């Protein structure tokens, strides 16, 4: 039976493959989706449940094979997203089981390195400088479900993202140990997950050498001071701060430095956007053509985290607007808040800066002077002048949603 037939019979399949009655699962309260609850397609809302995966608290289930689970909105109150509620995103359904870190090896090879290396986890932890960076991981399709008309794909709300402290080894240090040749163009890499069918394209990605050798790109083995959770890529994840999560390889096993552009489905067909669709600075030139290019940078964005649609406040009561803002690593210059539907704007207070690749908290307080409806809007601007549009930039694959968020409240 397919998924729709299972639902009709009141059955759901878990990530472990078990068929269980739907009533055993908790339905998703709209508050867990935040403002996305009124924007997602109706079918998405009806089918969503809460399910606890191994090592995780209940997350919002989007798909089960491959597993894709969203972080509930309430956890965005924290600057570091807890490991046990960090979103889960897979393209392929065969996820490695029974991983033994002691036997895990990372191979570095390719026609554009001087020598082939094979590194153990102990090698990574003892033979290289250890570094830690705070960085936002955000799915390219985060907020896809908010587009109208709706774009095909996993109908994410706001929860396909999370902010964490990542610890590991600089990728450039590993590449230097292997000896980069002058003809090195791209760094390709693979993980241990695989497709169910032999014909399923293996999830292999690449980044340009200039990106791979930046200080912030690391091979990480810790997340928020603990081993990386199993469903977030244990034991190794390639962390590419500032770029969308499609480049953050889980269960990393192979790094291949190549002198020609990687030619596969995941680079030539998937995760591409029209040229000049978005104000992207960091372009992947070796993978571009005259029509489209790979999506790279995380779009500048912001959300309100503490106010619900239709929430009621009393006249004269101070109202604090709290939220998060982020971009692709240029640094947030300011966040502005409007309480009159965009007619006027005032600058919010930015909280502690944890680094240019981290999201940043902000707050703004106002006191309503009349009864009625208020439309609260929030808009971020970064250091190079990028800002959020009033309406989303339509993208047929559902990438890069960053329209200004609007929330209506009532004052009585």
């Amino acid at each position: 039976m397919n998924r729709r037939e299972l639902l009709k019979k009141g059955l759901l399949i878990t990530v472990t493959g078990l068929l269980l009655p739907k009533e055993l699962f908790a339905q998703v309260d709209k508050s867990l989706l935040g403002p996305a609850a009124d924007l997602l397609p109706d079918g998405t809302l009806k089918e969503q449940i809460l399910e606890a995966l191994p090592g995780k608290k209940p997350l919002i289930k989007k798909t089960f094979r491959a597993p894709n689970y969203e972080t509930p909105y309430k956890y965005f109150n924290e600057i570091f997203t807890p490991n046990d509620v960090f979103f889960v995103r897979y393209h392929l359904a065969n996820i490695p089981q029974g991983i033994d870190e002691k036997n895990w090896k990372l191979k570095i090879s390719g026609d554009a390195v001087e020598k082939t290396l094979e590194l153990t986890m102990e090698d990574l932890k003892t033979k290289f400088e250890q570094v830690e960076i705070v960085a936002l991981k955000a799915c390219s399709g985060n907020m896809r479900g908010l587009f109208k008309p709706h774009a095909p794909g996993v109908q994410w709300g706001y929860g396909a993202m999370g902010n964490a402290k990542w610890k590991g080894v600089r990728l450039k240090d590993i590449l230097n140990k292997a000896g980069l040749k002058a003809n090195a163009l791209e760094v390709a890499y693979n993980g241990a997950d695989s497709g169910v069918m032999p014909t399923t394209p293996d999830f292999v990605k690449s980044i340009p050498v200039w990106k791979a050798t930046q200080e912030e790109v690391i091979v990480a083995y810790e997340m928020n001071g603990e081993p990386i959770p199993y469903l977030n890529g244990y034991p190794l994840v390639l962390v590419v701060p500032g770029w969308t999560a499609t480049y953050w390889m889980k269960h990393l096993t192979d790094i291949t430095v190549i002198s020609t552009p990687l030619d596969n489905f995941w680079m030539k067909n998937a995760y591409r956007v029209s040229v000049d669709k978005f104000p992207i600075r960091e372009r992947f030139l070796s993978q571009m053509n005259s029509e489209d290019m790979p999506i790279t940078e995380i779009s500048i964005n912001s959300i309100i985290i503490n106010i619900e649609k239709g929430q009621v406040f009393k006249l004269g009561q101070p109202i604090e607007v709290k939220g998060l803002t982020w971009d692709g690593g240029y640094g947030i210059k300011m966040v502005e808040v409007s309480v009159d539907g965009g007619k006027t704007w005032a600058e919010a207070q930015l909280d502690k800066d944890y680094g240019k690749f981290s999201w940043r908290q902000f707050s703004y307080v106002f006191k309503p002077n009349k009864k009625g409806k208020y439309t609260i809007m929030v808009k971020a601007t970064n250091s190079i002048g990028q800002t959020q549009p009033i309406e989303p930039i339509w993208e047929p694959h559902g990438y890069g949603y960053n329209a200004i968020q609007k929330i209506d409240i009532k004052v009585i």
Side-chain angles (χ1 to χ4, degrees):
M1 288 186 290
N2 62 30
R3 184 166 175 256
R4 198 171 296 277
E5 291 170 333
L6 289 171
L7 287 168
K8 286 180 180 179
K9 291 181 176 293
L11 296 172
L12 288 172
I13 188 167
T14 70
V15 73
T16 58
L18 293 174
L19 283 173
L20 295 173
K22 188 174 181 180
E23 58 266 21
L24 293 181
F25 296 90
Q27 290 300 113
V28 175
D29 186 278
K30 280 190 172 185
S31 66
L32 298 181
L33 293 162
D38 296 306
L39 300 172
L40 292 171
D42 289 341
T44 297
L45 291 173
K46 292 177 182 177
E47 293 183 6
Q48 286 182 153
I49 60 164
L50 287 175
E51 183 180 345
L53 301 169
K56 298 284 186 180
K57 291 180 179 177
L59 302 177
I60 301 167
K61 180 180 181 180
K62 295 292 183 178
T63 67
F64 63 88
R65 193 171 176 87
N68 290 291
Y69 287 72
E70 182 172 323
T71 300
Y73 205 75
K74 64 182 180 181
Y75 294 109
F76 294 143
N77 282 299
E78 303 183 49
I79 192 68
F80 302 117
T81 310
N83 289 3
D84 58 4
V85 294
F86 208 92
F87 81 101
V88 173
R89 169 67 168 131
Y90 278 88
H91 296 89
L92 306 179
N94 278 341
I95 302 170
Q97 303 288 324
I99 296 172
D100 183 356
E101 183 177 309
K102 294 179 181 178
N103 296 325
W104 195 266
K105 292 182 180 179
L106 175 63
K107 184 178 180 180
I108 299 90
S109 61
D111 71 301
V113 290
E114 299 290 347
K115 58 183 177 181
T116 296
L117 296 178
E118 198 167 68
L119 302 173
T120 65
M121 293 294 291
E122 184 179 359
D123 290 335
L124 291 171
K125 294 179 180 181
T126 61
K127 296 181 179 180
F128 296 88
E129 182 182 356
Q130 309 299 294
V131 295
E132 187 173 71
I133 187 169
V134 179
L136 169 72
K137 182 177 184 179
C139 180
S140 306
N142 193 32
M143 309 183 196
R144 177 185 284 123
L146 280 57
F147 276 107
K148 288 184 171 45
H150 292 296
V154 179
Q155 296 299 298
W156 297 109
Y158 293 98
M161 64 176 180
N163 197 51
K165 292 180 288 187
W166 307 90
K167 184 177 180 180
V169 177
R170 295 185 192 91
L171 176 57
K172 77 168 188 175
D173 293 345
I174 295 173
L175 298 178
N176 287 339
K177 191 172 184 64
L180 280 179
K181 292 183 180 179
N183 65 344
L185 180 68
E186 295 181 11
V187 176
Y189 41 89
N190 194 7
D193 50 331
S194 60
V196 175
M197 303 296 291
T199 54
T200 302
D202 195 11
F203 187 65
V204 179
K205 298 287 290 188
S206 69
I207 54 177
V209 164
W210 61 261
K211 182 67 176 178
T213 53
Q214 290 182 344
E215 292 284 319
E216 66 270 8
V217 179
I218 68 172
V219 174
Y221 52 80
E222 278 189 12
M223 177 177 166
N224 291 327
E226 300 174 351
I228 292 170
Y230 164 61
L231 287 171
N232 293 117
Y234 176 82
L236 289 179
V237 171
L238 184 67
V239 173
V240 188
W243 284 25
T244 65
T246 184
Y247 298 99
W248 295 48
M249 184 64 67
K250 297 183 290 294
H251 314 292
L252 183 66
T253 57
D254 293 272
I255 295 172
T256 309
V257 187
I258 51 180
S259 59
T260 56
L262 179 63
D263 185 4
N264 71 0
F265 170 80
W266 295 105
M267 295 306 300
K268 297 297 184 183
N269 302 93
Y271 289 99
R272 299 183 70 89
V273 294
S274 298
V275 173
D276 298 327
K277 191 79 172 182
F278 299 98
I280 293 175
R281 285 284 188 92
E282 292 195 341
R283 298 186 173 221
F284 199 160
L285 296 178
S286 58
Q287 292 285 348
M288 284 182 65
N289 59 47
S290 60
E291 296 181 357
D292 61 18
M293 63 183 184
I295 190 168
T296 55
E297 297 171 357
I298 297 171
S299 299
I300 186 168
N301 220 328
S302 61
I303 57 172
I304 298 166
I305 58 173
N306 69 321
I307 295 177
E308 297 181 8
K309 179 183 177 182
Q311 192 167 342
V312 177
F313 297 88
K314 292 183 179 180
L315 182 65
Q317 172 189 352
I319 300 174
E320 183 177 28
V321 180
K322 297 172 67 177
L324 295 169
T325 181
W326 62 91
D327 75 338
Y330 298 105
I332 299 299
K333 180 181 178 182
M334 66 176 177
V335 172
E336 297 170 281
V337 176
S338 174
V339 299
D340 54 14
K343 295 177 183 177
T344 61
W345 296 86
E347 195 166 339
Q349 174 70 44
L350 288 171
D351 294 344
K352 182 178 177 179
D353 187 353
Y354 287 86
K356 63 182 183 178
F357 297 109
S358 170
W359 64 26
R360 197 167 178 183
Q361 295 170 320
F362 67 85
S363 60
Y364 175 76
V365 179
F366 74 101
K367 185 179 292 186
N369 56 15
K370 63 179 181 180
K371 297 180 180 180
K373 186 184 83 169
Y374 287 72
T375 299
I376 303 175
M377 302 168 66
V378 59
K379 175 177 64 175
T381 302
N382 67 10
S383 63
I384 62 170
Q386 293 175 339
T387 191
Q388 296 176 248
I390 293 288
E391 298 296 331
I393 301 171
W394 170 249
E395 205 292 310
H397 303 97
Y399 300 142
Y401 186 100
N402 71 332
I404 291 173
Q405 193 184 57
K406 306 174 185 178
I407 299 179
D408 293 333
I409 63 168
K410 187 176 181 181
V411 175
I412 58 175

